[in-house]
Amino acid sequence: MTTAFWIRPAMALCVGLALGGCSTVGALTTGSLTGGAAKPAEVVDTNTPSARALQVGSAAARAMKCGYNFNAADLKSKYLAAEASAGIGVNEIQKLDRIYQSGYAGVTKAVSNPSVYCTPAKTATIKQDLTRHLAGDYSVSKRKVAKADDGLFSGWGDYVPEKGPAFGSDTWWESQRENASNK
């Protein structure tokens, strides 16, 4: 084990001992060190017109990059028409058009190698989003949200090693050679 591995636990122990008898010190409590009481969940509406424009634009670009055959211009016009029929004004529609274009262009520029980007898991998600959008459902798709850090000691023991070939096996050595040749 390296010395750096022990720094965080040693610091946590020192802080814990220093505050052991204190109920509060400013905003710092012993509960904040250990995770303490659960915080109420904040409800955020992610299904806004701006979020939908970005979602549909980036989904269209991802689908184009992965070779899905559909009319992207038709999808865009139907999406903007749906937003307009929901009562959004002309200025807001122009703003949504720019957001849509930004999402589309951003993904188009970011995905330089579709053969690497279009993994089976990613194409399944893309297909699901594209199918919804082509059917007229432009809502923002639900994604997993990262777990919040609840305190100094939270998350210890959560490490799960990456699955792959066993260390030192023939497949492990092959993957090392592939990684070296790709650099």
Side-chain angles (χ1 to χ4, degrees), residues 16-39:
L17 290 173
L19 299 175
C22 303
S23 60
T24 63
V25 176
L28 184 65
T29 66
T30 53
S32 69
L33 294 174
T34 60
K39 300 174 189 125

Side-chain angles (χ1 to χ4, degrees), residues 41-77:
E42 184 178 329
V43 177
V44 178
D45 182 18
T46 59
N47 200 20
T48 61
S50 298
R52 288 191 297 267
L54 187 62
Q55 164 85 24
V56 176
S58 61
R62 291 188 339 250
M64 291 297 284
K65 283 292 191 172
C66 291
Y68 285 94
N69 187 15
F70 71 103
N71 188 339
D74 188 47
L75 174 63
K76 176 184 172 184
S77 66

Side-chain angles (χ1 to χ4, degrees), residues 154-180:
S154 69
W156 287 15
D158 288 352
Y159 174 73
V160 177
E162 188 176 312
K163 293 190 178 193
F167 177 77
S169 67
D170 290 337
T171 53
W172 183 85
W173 283 109
E174 288 175 26
S175 68
Q176 297 304 308
R177 283 189 283 278
E178 287 176 17
N179 288 340

Side-chain angles (χ1 to χ4, degrees), residues 42 44 46 141-149:
E42 184 178 329
V44 178
T46 59
S141 61
K142 305 292 186 247
R143 301 283 190 238
K144 290 183 182 177
V145 178
K147 184 176 134 183
D149 185 17

Side-chain angles (χ1 to χ4, degrees), residues 45-178:
D45 182 18
T46 59
N47 200 20
T48 61
S50 298
R52 288 191 297 267
L54 187 62
Q55 164 85 24
V56 176
S58 61
R62 291 188 339 250
M64 291 297 284
K65 283 292 191 172
C66 291
Y68 285 94
N69 187 15
F70 71 103
N71 188 339
D74 188 47
L75 174 63
K76 176 184 172 184
S77 66
K78 286 182 179 178
Y79 161 69
L80 292 174
E83 291 290 1
S85 69
I88 293 181
V90 175
N91 290 338
E92 188 70 20
I93 292 294
Q94 291 172 347
K95 178 182 171 187
L96 294 178
D97 183 33
R98 287 190 301 273
I99 293 170
Y100 178 100
Q101 287 300 334
S102 174
Y104 189 92
V107 170
T108 302
K109 289 176 185 174
V111 178
S112 61
N113 190 353
S115 63
V116 173
Y117 176 78
C118 299
T119 63
K122 199 166 295 249
T123 55
T125 302
I126 293 167
K127 181 179 181 180
Q128 187 177 43
D129 287 343
L130 181 62
T131 302
R132 280 186 319 104
H133 298 328
L134 290 173
D137 178 6
Y138 305 110
S139 62
V140 177
S141 61
K142 305 292 186 247
R143 301 283 190 238
K144 290 183 182 177
V145 178
K147 184 176 134 183
D149 185 17
D150 291 331
L152 187 62
F153 297 117
S154 69
W156 287 15
D158 288 352
Y159 174 73
V160 177
E162 188 176 312
K163 293 190 178 193
F167 177 77
S169 67
D170 290 337
T171 53
W172 183 85
W173 283 109
E174 288 175 26
S175 68
Q176 297 304 308
R177 283 189 283 278
E178 287 176 17

